[in-house]
Amino acid sequence: MTQHLAAPAPARTGTPPAWWRDAVIYQVYPRSFADGNGDGMGDLPGIRSRLPYLAALGVDAVWLSPFYASPQADAGYDVADYRAIDPMFGDLHDADALIRDAHALGLRIIVDLVPNHSSDRHEWFRRALREGPGSPLRERYHFRPGKGRDGELPPNDWESIFGGPAWTRTTDPDGTPGEWYLHLFAPQQPDFNWDHPAVHDEFRSLLRFWLDMGVDGFRVDVAHGLVKAAGLPDMGHTGQLKLLGTQVLPFFDQDGVHEIYRSWRRVLDEYPGARIGVAEAWTPSAGRTALYVRPDELHQAFNFHYLSAPWEAESLRRVIEEALAAVRPVGAPATWVLSNHDVVRHRTRLGGGLERARAATLLMLALPGSAYLYQGEELGLPEVTDLPDEARQDPAFFRRGPGADGQEGQDGLRDGCRVPLPWTAQGLSYGFGAGGSWLPQPAEWGKLSVAEQTGDPSSTLELYRAALLLRHEHPALGAGDDVTWLPSPPGILAFRRAAPDGSAVTCAVNTTPDPAHLPTLLPPSKTALLSSGPLPPGAILPADTTVWWERLSRPPATPAGRCPRTAACTL
């Protein structure tokens, strides 16, 4: 297919060149967003048809989870061909059309890149198995002889994030037991050996392939996992591993990954339009995460410590301060995220129901830096916790050990956040597609659909639309790298964001189960811009509620045709 097809997205009016520093980026999980051909599975034409919805929502960019050719052993994170679209999602012409349409709407497109591992159906790996020990292709993965008298034991004690050993034994071409290969995730996902120059060359070529297609950046899957400690040493202990922990591991967050990203940054900088790289880096600390976004490396890194923080004012403030302090010396923006395709949706995970989820969203969107939204959170969707076992497709589900509690993605219950979206109040799949949906949708989801919530001033969808518009239009929101904390009672988080023009927005959050009387924070001389829930008369901030306000001297931004303040936020 001809390259250089889609031009970079034009900057929105008033958007600075470094658009990514305060961008709101919306994650689309292609299987579950919209089905364009009625086969029950989401696809690129379905996504393309819904791009106007995303533009109207007010996001700056769309991040697409993998759509590459894949056997789908791990929902596309097992890539067989990085330069082809899986037929279930469409083809390269569909990808080109989607990129073009997004750019015409002022949206940027970020695609997933999976460099830690490939599919076991990737041609490199298939040839390595077919040619047997001694094949040069085996050097591009981690093949090792086993331990024990007959090599019957794995080469080391590493465990898979999905459960069980991180090694699988091969069968040689003559039918005898052979070497073992490393897979930090499913056995169908063999890890690349990034000590081999061919792996480096291939991924630089892949970056250029998709940049030539017009994409605006890459979200780098398992960015912390590419380099393994020399010699693949034992961990020295057992027990199921978690993606986010404080322990130092010989296969995660090794210093060698940074030279890889320096070489990628040079490729990104060759292209116009501020193309970016975003690290999915699960690290022990905010300081370690900041290493991935030094000026000559990637542009952003996910803030999983914020995602993992409990709904408690002191903990939230500590995580916010640590994140801002960590990225400030390297000149990178902080990022904030509450939900994604690997974790329990925050409406369910945080407890407290929809009210708490809405409050958490307004807190996140008031912070300096870039924010990530996961599809459906703008509808207030909860986690689906009662999917029948026969419907589940998460590979970790089939490798779960006893005691898995489902609170982290690798415990096998990620399907609950991947249920297809409801677009209409009625219909076979609530407007997802004409052929049903690949995961069953709860019966009550029609009430949470886009159609049902659109125009309802008290709905979560309209809250997101108003918040994103205010964030775009108010100079004190989004940009910058600091907050000014305000004195507040226990359980209350309060801070001010100031803009160079002298305007300011103050955000107050009540994380307690009781209303708070805040006469010094909510005086009558201020006007509420937006609140996550109803505000009673007086200086009362209800439980699980966030409010933004500013001085009356500056009129609030007004969306075309409607007031930015919902009926729920009128003082």
Side-chain angles (χ1 to χ4, degrees), residues 348-400:
T348 301
R349 189 183 72 252
L350 293 177
L354 183 58
E355 292 78 9
R356 184 170 295 177
R358 289 162 58 107
T361 294
L362 285 198
L363 165 60
M364 177 180 74
L365 292 177
L367 294 171
S370 182
Y372 282 78
L373 309 180
Y374 177 54
Q375 63 176 45
E377 71 172 76
E378 76 276 14
L379 304 178
L381 297 185
E383 185 80 0
V384 180
T385 58
D386 58 353
L387 287 171
D389 287 357
E390 59 270 19
R392 293 190 177 275
Q393 298 191 28
D394 184 352
F397 177 77
F398 303 101
R399 294 168 63 88
R400 297 170 75 217

Side-chain angles (χ1 to χ4, degrees), residues 221-236:
D221 185 61
V222 195
H224 58 303
L226 278 55
V227 173
K228 279 67 175 177
L232 309 185
D234 282 342
M235 290 196 307

Side-chain angles (χ1 to χ4, degrees), residues 146-196:
K147 293 181 178 180
R149 185 178 64 180
D150 298 313
E152 71 277 8
L153 300 176
N156 66 24
D157 64 0
W158 296 1
E159 293 182 334
S160 163
I161 299 301
F162 285 170
W167 295 89
T168 291
R169 195 172 192 184
T170 65
T171 299
D172 285 340
D174 63 3
T176 60
E179 296 177 318
W180 297 70
Y181 67 88
L182 175 68
H183 53 86
L184 292 182
F185 294 88
Q188 298 90 343
Q189 296 168 288
D191 279 39
F192 284 116
N193 176 16
W194 276 88
D195 291 332
H196 198 289

Side-chain angles (χ1 to χ4, degrees), residues 91-127:
D91 57 28
L92 283 172
H93 293 284
D94 293 317
D96 174 53
L98 188 155
I99 295 167
R100 286 177 178 274
D101 283 5
H103 288 174
L105 290 166
L107 296 169
R108 289 176 168 85
I109 294 292
I110 296 171
V111 298
D112 243 306
L113 191 65
V114 187
N116 180 71
H117 48 263
S118 73
S119 165
D120 60 356
R121 307 285 183 86
H122 191 286
E123 183 58 25
W124 285 3
F125 193 78
R126 295 176 66 184
R127 282 185 54 194

Side-chain angles (χ1 to χ4, degrees), residues 172-397:
D172 285 340
D174 63 3
T176 60
E179 296 177 318
W180 297 70
Y181 67 88
L182 175 68
H183 53 86
L184 292 182
F185 294 88
Q188 298 90 343
Q189 296 168 288
D191 279 39
F192 284 116
N193 176 16
W194 276 88
D195 291 332
H196 198 289
V199 178
H200 289 259
D201 291 344
E202 171 68 358
F203 274 88
R204 283 193 294 267
S205 173
L206 289 170
L207 291 177
R208 290 189 171 94
F209 179 90
W210 288 103
L211 290 167
D212 287 345
M213 282 280 288
V215 304
D216 301 283
F218 302 89
R219 177 264 192 187
V220 184
D221 185 61
V222 195
H224 58 303
L226 278 55
V227 173
K228 279 67 175 177
L232 309 185
D234 282 342
M235 290 196 307
H237 62 83
T238 58
Q240 181 59 46
L241 301 173
K242 305 295 184 184
L243 279 172
L244 184 62
T246 58
Q247 70 269 44
V248 177
L249 300 171
F251 45 79
F252 280 164
D253 196 31
Q254 298 291 305
D255 289 338
V257 300
H258 298 291
E259 186 52 44
I260 297 170
Y261 300 130
R262 291 186 186 100
S263 72
W264 289 14
R265 179 61 178 262
R266 290 191 289 272
V267 174
L268 291 167
D269 288 347
E270 293 173 9
Y271 287 80
R275 318 293 180 96
I276 70 168
V278 182
E280 185 213 22
W282 298 81
T283 68
S285 68
R288 291 294 299 182
T289 301
L291 297 179
Y292 291 78
V293 291
R294 287 176 286 193
D296 60 345
E297 295 192 39
L298 301 176
H299 299 75
Q300 293 184 351
F302 287 139
N303 186 350
F304 293 114
H305 299 90
Y306 182 76
L307 182 149
S308 304
W311 183 246
E312 191 273 320
E314 184 177 350
S315 297
L316 288 166
R317 176 169 174 169
R318 181 172 59 252
V319 171
I320 292 167
E321 288 178 335
E322 289 175 351
L324 293 174
V327 297
R328 196 176 294 118
V330 296
T335 66
W336 315 100
V337 61
L338 290 168
S339 290
N340 64 36
H341 67 293
D342 278 335
V343 300
V344 174
R345 285 187 177 276
H346 71 272
R347 171 175 172 174
T348 301
R349 189 183 72 252
L350 293 177
L354 183 58
E355 292 78 9
R356 184 170 295 177
R358 289 162 58 107
T361 294
L362 285 198
L363 165 60
M364 177 180 74
L365 292 177
L367 294 171
S370 182
Y372 282 78
L373 309 180
Y374 177 54
Q375 63 176 45
E377 71 172 76
E378 76 276 14
L379 304 178
L381 297 185
E383 185 80 0
V384 180
T385 58
D386 58 353
L387 287 171
D389 287 357
E390 59 270 19
R392 293 190 177 275
Q393 298 191 28
D394 184 352
F397 177 77

